[in-house]
Amino acid sequence: MTQPPESRPGRTIRSVEIAFSIIDALERRDGAGVTELADRLDHSKSTIHSHLRTLEELEYVVRKGDEYRLSLQILGMAEHVRDQVGNYDVIEEEVDALADETGEIAQFGIEEHGQVTYLHKASGEQAVETASSVGAQQPIYATALGKTILTFLPPERIDEIVSATEFVAHTSHTITSPEELYDEIETIAERGYGIDDEENIAGLRCVAAPVKSESEILGAVSISGPKSRFTDDRIHDELPEFVTRAANVIELNTKFS
């Protein structure tokens, strides 16, 4: 979740914040008009209109009638960012294979701004759809991907993220304190994989394995499914083998590329 401007340290430029809040709102709502955006973002219609006109001239949004939507230029930028991640083709191939093999949702995530960001997602035949999507962010403390990545970051970065985290209970199982999170980090480091036990979405469990290079954590790969299929036996025996195998393939391709 993006922090409000007043809660963030350092000097910021208000007009830039407004422009990106408009872009974010258009992405979330698949397009909107001036009045709707003004009400949604709590700004005057004239302010919203001025920013939209600027974004339109810069070709970041397009207008159809009274509604605005994001332009395909955003897609080009997104693909450029994705391609900056090393061995994306291998990540995509392994995540897709993992989804096919297990029949569940498979994902790859990286850490950005103290949260986990989804880089690729694939759905198997039995997959139960979730709210996650490519480019979306989720709390690092409430997801298997996030906790696994966090575990293998440098100690100073772990402390930095934990100290800046505002813990929110998404379910009755969510970690809600730094102490609990540090205990979980220790457990993940010992066993080599992370688990989301209905911590972000009730009824959904997840297993994740880290993807590391020789010097850093690159991200993590996971599979998610309903607790009826992700039983205690499977989540601690069979399923970690799937994600660990996929992670190892990505690691090897990264090492020798």
Side-chain angles (χ1 to χ4, degrees):
M1 180 181 296
T2 303
Q3 292 179 313
E6 60 272 15
S7 68
R8 294 197 295 270
R11 183 171 176 266
T12 60
I13 300 174
R14 186 63 172 163
S15 61
V16 175
E17 292 180 347
I18 294 172
F20 277 96
S21 68
I22 290 172
I23 290 173
D24 184 58
L26 290 176
E27 187 269 333
R28 292 174 184 274
R29 304 179 74 82
D30 294 325
V34 174
T35 300
E36 184 179 0
L37 288 169
D39 292 342
R40 175 83 173 177
L41 302 176
D42 196 25
H43 291 294
S44 68
K45 291 182 183 180
S46 62
T47 296
I48 296 297
H49 185 259
S50 296
H51 281 77
L52 283 169
R53 285 291 302 275
T54 302
L55 290 168
E56 185 181 13
E57 286 192 16
L58 294 172
E59 300 182 356
Y60 288 109
V61 304
V62 294
R63 179 166 60 91
K64 287 192 175 181
D66 294 330
E67 282 206 346
Y68 293 81
R69 66 167 175 80
L70 299 181
S71 76
L72 291 178
Q73 185 171 194
I74 300 292
L75 178 60
M77 294 172 65
E79 290 182 344
H80 173 72
V81 172
R82 183 198 67 189
D83 292 341
Q84 287 181 313
V85 177
N87 287 319
Y88 176 80
D89 290 345
V90 175
I91 291 170
E92 182 180 37
E93 182 178 340
E94 287 305 310
V95 171
D96 289 350
L98 186 59
D100 289 341
E101 185 177 15
T102 63
E104 307 290 356
I105 288 177
Q107 300 177 113
F108 187 93
I110 62 175
E111 182 267 319
E112 283 189 340
H113 305 295
Q115 300 188 77
V116 60
T117 301
Y118 297 99
L119 180 66
H120 186 64
K121 176 180 180 179
S123 297
E125 291 184 353
Q126 304 180 82
V128 175
E129 196 52 60
T130 66
S132 62
S133 60
V134 174
Q137 292 183 320
Q138 289 290 335
I140 205 163
Y141 62 91
T143 57
L145 282 172
K147 291 185 296 180
T148 301
I149 295 170
L150 184 63
T151 296
F152 296 96
L153 288 172
E156 61 273 14
R157 179 59 178 154
I158 295 175
D159 293 340
E160 181 182 14
I161 291 174
V162 174
S163 64
T165 295
E166 295 181 9
F167 292 89
V168 176
H170 298 273
T171 74
S172 60
H173 298 276
T174 307
I175 288 173
T176 55
S177 72
E179 292 76 21
E180 289 180 278
L181 184 53
Y182 278 118
D183 287 344
E184 182 76 353
I185 287 171
E186 185 174 334
T187 298
I188 294 171
E190 290 175 355
R191 70 186 176 203
Y193 61 90
I195 291 174
D196 167 1
D197 191 5
E198 300 185 71
E199 296 164 48
N200 196 37
I201 300 174
L204 192 74
R205 303 180 92 180
C206 181
V207 182
V211 176
K212 298 177 284 185
S213 69
E214 295 181 355
S215 60
E216 63 180 335
I217 175 78
L218 304 176
V221 60
S222 72
I223 46 177
S224 305
K227 64 178 181 180
S228 59
R229 290 199 294 267
F230 280 49
T231 61
D232 287 343
D233 287 341
R234 290 192 74 210
I235 212 167
H236 288 291
D237 184 17
E238 174 189 354
L239 298 177
E241 293 182 6
F242 284 112
V243 290
T244 300
R245 186 165 62 245
N248 287 341
V249 172
I250 298 171
E251 286 177 356
L252 285 171
N253 278 276
T254 301
K255 182 177 181 180
F256 294 108
S257 62

